[in-house]
Amino acid sequence: MDHALKPTADAAWVLEAAGYDPLREGSLESRFAISNGFLGIRGARAITRGERWVVPPHTYVAGLFDRPGTEPAIPELIPAAGWLTVRISLSGMPLVHHPGDASSHHMTLDLRRGTLLAESGLLEAPGVGLRLRTLRLVSLSERALGLQLLQLEIVDGEVDVTLEASFAGVDLGLISERLGQDLGVWRTQRSGKSLAMATASSLQVDGHDLPATAIDQLKWSWSWKSRAGQIACFERTVAVVRSDTEALDPGATAQGKLFVARHLGWRGVLAKHERAWVDRWQCSDVEVDGDAPAQQALRFAIYHLNSAANPADERVSIGARGLTGDDYHGHVFWDTEIYLLPFYILTWPKAARALLMYRFRTLDAARAKSARMGWRGALYAWESADTGAETTPEYAIGSDRQIIDILSGKEEQHISADVAYAVWQYWQATGDEEFLRNAGAEILLETGRFWASRVRLEADGCGHIRDVIGPDEYHEHVDDGAYTNVMARWNIRRAIEVTALLRERWPDCWARLSSRLGLDDAELKQWLSAADTMATGLEPETGLYEQFAGYFALEEINLADYAGRSVPMDVVLGRERTQRSQVIKQADVVALLGLLPAEFVGGTGPANFNYYEPRCSHGSSLSRAMHGLVAARLGYSEMALRYFRQTAAIDLTDTYVSMGGGVHIAALGGVWLTAVFGFAGLSLRDDGVAIDPQLPAGWTSLGFGFQWRGRRLRIRIDQLKGHLEATLEEGDPMTLVVSGTSHELRRTQMLLVSAGRSDKSKVSQPPSAAIETALTVLPGGDPERLDGTILRV
């Protein structure tokens, strides 16, 4: 067991924390969480926790939603029983009364192995010295399994020792149906789901099995007499199974999975888990030379991204906090499609497919929402749980204790175009014909149908979409939001394109699908008209997109004048003045530039970015990542690097109170996006892949791998030598475009081409970059000092 409890030696692969600080515990529990897309365990202390916490460390199970008996009755991700609880007593007295009792406590998140290790050195109990080391994991190989290891070394002294292993919170949120010695079965109150947890534990003292002295429901106890030099090793395995129907008893399945795990032994479980992580890192690692903090930020982000997905379950998606916390009740937003799917599409296509199949399985709920609101096609829920029904709360209590109507569930409709965008990106990158025929095309058609029914042709000859909310949620009831309208137009055109594709390549499939959907040429002609007449807010004279109708006439506010604020701008100004101002919550037109750069011709991309960037207050954790991506593509590499660092700091520093509710998984996706789509300049084309590198000055090289249509590629950009190395590790020859020049890439040889910084990288940083040095705020009201100086222009 000693070897298993040693973390990876390379400091670039570990994250560490020491000591006890009650103000940081919530953040550390999120940051050091482990998950596998099915099970999630917060990084809470299991042994040195003491008695101060009433609520046990949470175990999350993907898809385990229920409606609590509260108003409004919104589905919530219900925590399962905590299975890591261990209490150690010396001569009948608890070893730890308070977390601060440990003379030292050190936690290590081993990113390479996907394990959380902890060590409490020389716990000073009366008359005895102890050293305690632990490991926990949830298996990436067999996602139903969790493993806990504990090694207790008696450094000196003799004392009666009792180790008690139990489950905590067995009646927290779930109704117990069966509780036995090694099996618990629970059910939800209203959603018809059930959960089983089968478990087995053992203890060895100096290599000899010690029988349990007391056994109860999900509880075991061992007692022995210690001596100096003695080593006790405890191991516990748990198998967790979720059932979505009342007719299926998950208990037998859980016991079967536990039986297989016990046959493997803890070493076998650990070995298979570590091999699965080796495979994931081979597919997804990003290597940065010359910037150790950036390397750590990327590895941390990729660790949590790999931990959040489960390619085997098409009935769940990834919530705003993954399985690391319960903020937003585990609900799914547009974050998944825009900020997460690119990572999975290029590094883990099976996971990407499962996430998109969740949207296909909830397509009927999207159709129902659209029909309920008087439109056709599919309008996806702004917030959704397992069924796809709208779960956005209708109201909240504001900072002034007043009731605030939440309109996102009704007006933030760009979600349907966001889903369509992810579907098309997946098709473009994978060429997955089976998915397109059986799921993707229908999503594209039904979202396109929604937008065609949503737009209204008016007397000015333009089609308008009124009364919506764009990504900038500070402004409600807006007309012709640029992001919404241009994405809607793009969505309709891709829907029309997929009809032509189906007709040409799979006419029988098209005949069946069009018949089932009642879709004919007359309707498709109306779609084309809706797209061609769509109002976009583009001003030909300036090349600027007006964020929404009337935006340019709103009050201009210099955000640099509010550099000392400690709360979001809508709190500083008040909701009404904010809505009358040009202050933006998060990337809106900038997000459109990030997703559809082809809609910004000539120099209009930089013009729009330079106009909107200083007006954005970054009131969302998503905002800086999108700004960083776009800044990098435009050649503003140093500004992009600042945005990159600020995005990474959200979950890697202790600045944000909101960190206690779980990691900001979409922001972590944004870290990867900024590096790969931004600094490396990767983009997908119909005929291949393009790379247009714009590395920050301090990055000597950037390396990463990705997949494209059954091929595996490895890219390394060497800034010192001014060249790019591309290797086709698997698959047929393909076209790779580097800085605008096409090259044929074959498996037989590495491609080595010049990749110097293009002329656009020499563009000076826009004057608005100075605003980024101001004190800004993310959700939760926590200020972040971006650097030590506040500049004015």
Side-chain angles (χ1 to χ4, degrees):
M1 187 176 287
D2 188 67
H3 177 74
L5 296 172
K6 292 180 179 178
T8 298
D10 187 344
W13 286 96
V14 297
L15 196 67
E16 298 177 300
Y20 169 70
D21 180 350
L23 297 179
R24 298 173 64 225
E25 287 295 303
S27 295
L28 291 177
E29 288 183 10
S30 298
R31 189 175 303 134
F32 285 76
I34 55 174
S35 60
N36 61 16
F38 174 64
L39 291 176
I41 314 293
R42 283 174 63 79
R45 299 162 182 255
I47 292 90
T48 59
R49 192 174 173 86
E51 307 298 325
R52 70 181 294 267
W53 277 281
V54 177
V55 179
H58 279 175
T59 297
Y60 296 104
V61 180
L64 190 63
F65 286 97
D66 199 15
R67 293 180 178 271
T70 59
E71 290 296 334
I74 297 168
E76 297 180 1
L77 192 64
I78 304 299
W83 54 274
L84 294 166
T85 302
V86 174
R87 289 184 174 87
I88 299 174
S89 300
L90 304 179
S91 299
M93 298 298 293
L95 175 63
V96 176
H97 291 276
H98 185 275
D101 290 347
S103 58
S104 66
H105 182 75
H106 189 93
M107 284 201 308
T108 303
L109 182 62
D110 192 326
L111 305 174
R112 173 177 276 169
R113 300 167 63 210
T115 58
L116 178 61
L117 302 105
E119 178 173 343
S120 297
L122 296 175
L123 290 161
E124 296 178 357
V128 64
L130 306 173
R131 182 185 183 212
L132 183 66
R133 294 194 292 166
T134 65
L135 173 148
R136 71 178 71 164
L137 65 85
V138 287
S139 174
L140 200 67
S141 173
E142 170 51 76
R143 286 179 170 79
L145 298 181
L147 176 66
Q148 179 185 32
L149 302 179
L150 180 152
Q151 185 183 82
L152 177 65
E153 179 181 356
I154 309 298
V155 179
D156 56 63
E158 295 186 0
V159 67
D160 292 324
V161 182
T162 297
L163 186 150
E164 178 185 284
S166 62
F167 279 43
V170 294
D171 56 356
L172 186 65
L174 294 170
I175 299 172
S176 301
E177 289 200 326
R178 254 186 296 162
L179 290 180
Q181 173 188 334
D182 57 6
L183 177 66
V185 179
W186 298 264
R187 62 176 174 85
T188 58
Q189 298 183 43
R190 297 172 179 82
S191 63
K193 298 177 184 289
S194 56
L195 182 77
M197 303 178 78
T199 185
S201 303
S202 66
L203 181 75
Q204 288 189 338
V205 177
D206 288 338
H208 301 288
D209 291 331
L210 186 68
T213 54
I215 297 173
D216 202 346
Q217 294 177 338
L218 301 174
K219 182 184 291 187
W220 303 261
S221 180
W222 295 263
S223 297
W224 72 96
K225 186 78 171 181
S226 74
R227 60 171 178 77
Q230 185 182 77
I231 295 179
C233 296
F234 168 79
E235 64 98 358
R236 168 161 45 186
T237 307
V238 64
V240 183
V241 173
R242 182 197 81 227
S243 172
D244 293 337
T245 63
E246 294 180 347
L248 179 64
D249 178 7
T253 306
Q255 288 176 316
K257 290 182 179 293
L258 180 66
F259 176 81
V260 173
R262 297 299 288 176
H263 179 74
L264 279 174
W266 68 261
R267 292 176 180 83
V269 172
L270 176 61
K272 293 186 70 174
H273 166 77
E274 290 179 338
R275 283 197 296 271
W277 269 104
V278 168
D279 292 342
R280 288 302 325 129
W281 282 114
Q282 285 179 344
C283 293
S284 61
D285 191 21
V286 176
E287 297 178 300
V288 175
D289 289 327
D291 190 338
Q295 179 66 86
Q296 183 188 59
L298 279 160
R299 290 254 169 83
F300 177 76
I302 295 168
Y303 160 79
H304 276 292
L305 291 169
N306 281 325
S307 299
N310 179 7
D313 193 348
E314 298 176 349
R315 294 161 296 181
V316 302
S317 187
I318 300 173
R321 297 293 187 262
L323 294 174
T324 68
D326 50 19
D327 271 7
Y328 299 104
H329 311 297
H331 292 176
V332 180
F333 294 75
W334 73 310
D335 311 16
T336 306
E337 280 70 35
I338 299 303
Y339 291 87
L340 302 183
L341 256 298
F343 170 81
Y344 298 115
I345 288 169
L346 291 181
T347 69
W348 202 358
K350 288 182 179 179
R353 192 183 202 274
L355 292 169
L356 291 172
M357 286 301 297
Y358 162 82
R359 292 299 191 183
F360 180 69
R361 289 177 178 273
T362 58
L363 186 57
D364 283 342
R367 289 186 179 108
K369 178 182 176 181
S370 182
R372 198 164 53 246
M373 299 183 72
W375 299 301
R376 303 188 68 200
L379 172 57
Y380 278 96
W382 179 244
E383 297 185 33
S384 62
D386 51 342
T387 67
E390 183 61 72
T391 60
T392 304
E394 294 184 356
Y395 59 85
I397 307 299
S399 58
D400 57 359
R401 311 309 299 168
Q402 297 296 310
I403 295 177
I404 300 173
D405 291 331
I406 299 178
L407 302 176
S408 298
K410 300 182 181 70
E411 296 185 13
E412 202 149 358
Q413 298 168 4
H414 62 81
I415 177 71
S416 279
D418 301 329
V419 172
Y421 182 87
V423 168
W424 190 259
Q425 195 174 43
Y426 174 79
W427 159 247
Q428 196 175 30
T430 66
D432 186 342
E433 296 178 356
E434 191 274 339
F435 169 80
L436 184 70
R437 291 195 307 267
N438 297 331
E442 190 168 349
I443 294 174
L444 289 166
L445 292 171
E446 286 292 75
T447 52
R449 172 178 269 172
F450 163 72
W451 291 116
S453 74
R454 184 68 175 86
V455 65
R456 288 289 182 266
L457 187 65
E458 298 185 9
D460 60 357
C462 293
H464 299 275
I465 299 178
R466 301 194 181 279
D467 204 23
V468 296
I469 298 173
D472 168 25
E473 295 166 330
Y474 283 166
H475 297 91
E476 302 167 337
H477 302 299
V478 305
D479 297 334
D480 292 331
Y483 180 93
T484 299
N485 285 30
V486 176
M487 288 290 287
R489 182 177 67 181
W490 177 93
N491 191 167
I492 293 171
R493 287 174 173 169
R494 296 296 78 72
I496 294 172
E497 186 173 341
V498 84
T499 64
L501 183 64
L502 292 174
R503 277 175 160 153
E504 177 186 350
R505 296 177 61 177
W506 306 289
D508 291 343
C509 175
W510 166 248
R512 290 190 300 270
L513 182 58
S514 60
S515 175
R516 179 160 56 83
L517 297 181
L519 182 58
D520 57 24
D521 287 344
E523 184 176 352
L524 290 172
K525 185 177 180 180
Q526 184 266 323
W527 291 11
L528 183 61
S529 175
D532 289 345
T533 60
M534 185 83 70
T536 64
L538 178 63
E539 283 194 341
E541 302 82 7
T542 63
L544 295 179
Y545 281 96
E546 186 172 27
Q547 184 174 296
F548 52 82
Y551 177 85
F552 289 152
L554 298 178
E555 177 188 5
E556 292 191 36
I557 290 179
N558 185 357
L559 291 177
D561 293 339
Y562 296 85
R565 62 192 170 93
S566 59
V567 293
M569 279 302 296
D570 62 330
V571 176
V572 173
L573 299 176
R575 294 185 76 237
E576 291 186 1
R577 188 182 177 196
T578 301
Q579 292 173 353
R580 296 194 305 268
S581 78
Q582 291 185 351
V583 174
I584 301 168
K585 178 180 179 180
Q586 63 175 311
D588 195 296
V589 172
V590 170
L592 182 62
L593 176 56
L595 301 184
L596 300 178
E599 299 287 347
F600 296 77
V601 297
T604 61
N608 278 272
F609 182 81
N610 294 341
Y611 181 84
Y612 283 105
E613 188 266 344
R615 289 165 169 80
C616 186
S617 66
H618 304 296
S620 164
S621 60
L622 307 178
S623 184
R624 289 181 174 87
M626 188 60 75
H627 278 79
L629 163 64
V630 174
R633 281 180 174 173
L634 294 177
Y636 306 149
S637 299
E638 301 314 311
M639 173 193 268
L641 183 61
R642 284 200 302 274
Y643 276 126
F644 174 91
R645 296 198 194 285
Q646 293 156 17
T647 304
I650 295 170
D651 290 311
L652 274 175
T653 66
D654 297 317
T655 308
Y656 304 98
V657 171
S658 61
M659 175 66 185
V663 300
H664 300 72
I665 192 69
L668 295 175
V671 169
W672 182 88
L673 276 172
T674 303
V676 175
F677 278 65
F679 295 133
L682 186 145
S683 62
L684 303 178
R685 299 159 51 107
D686 291 335
D687 61 345
V689 177
I691 303 285
D692 189 10
Q694 303 288 335
L695 300 194
W699 290 20
T700 57
S701 71
L702 172 65
F704 60 95
F706 67 95
Q707 300 178 43
W708 186 79
R709 298 186 185 178
R711 302 164 176 88
R712 291 181 182 270
L713 295 87
R714 182 73 50 185
I715 303 293
R716 185 174 184 273
I717 303 159
D718 191 321
Q719 184 155 241
L720 293 180
K721 297 179 180 178
H723 68 227
L724 178 146
E725 302 170 4
T727 305
L728 181 61
E729 298 179 334
E730 182 179 317
D732 297 332
M734 61 173 291
T735 298
L736 181 69
V737 179
V738 181
S739 300
T741 302
S742 296
H743 304 270
E744 187 177 28
L745 189 60
R746 295 178 175 274
R747 292 188 64 187
T748 54
Q749 59 185 18
M750 181 183 71
L751 176 67
L752 184 65
V753 297
S754 174
R757 294 166 64 88
S758 63
D759 290 341
K760 71 179 181 180
S761 69
K762 299 182 178 67
V763 176
S764 61
Q765 305 300 309
S768 54
I771 295 176
E772 278 308 303
T773 63
L775 188 66
T776 58
V777 177
L778 286 182
D782 303 293
E784 178 190 23
R785 178 66 64 181
L786 305 182
D787 68 21
T789 308
I790 296 176
L791 304 177
R792 294 186 183 272
V793 295

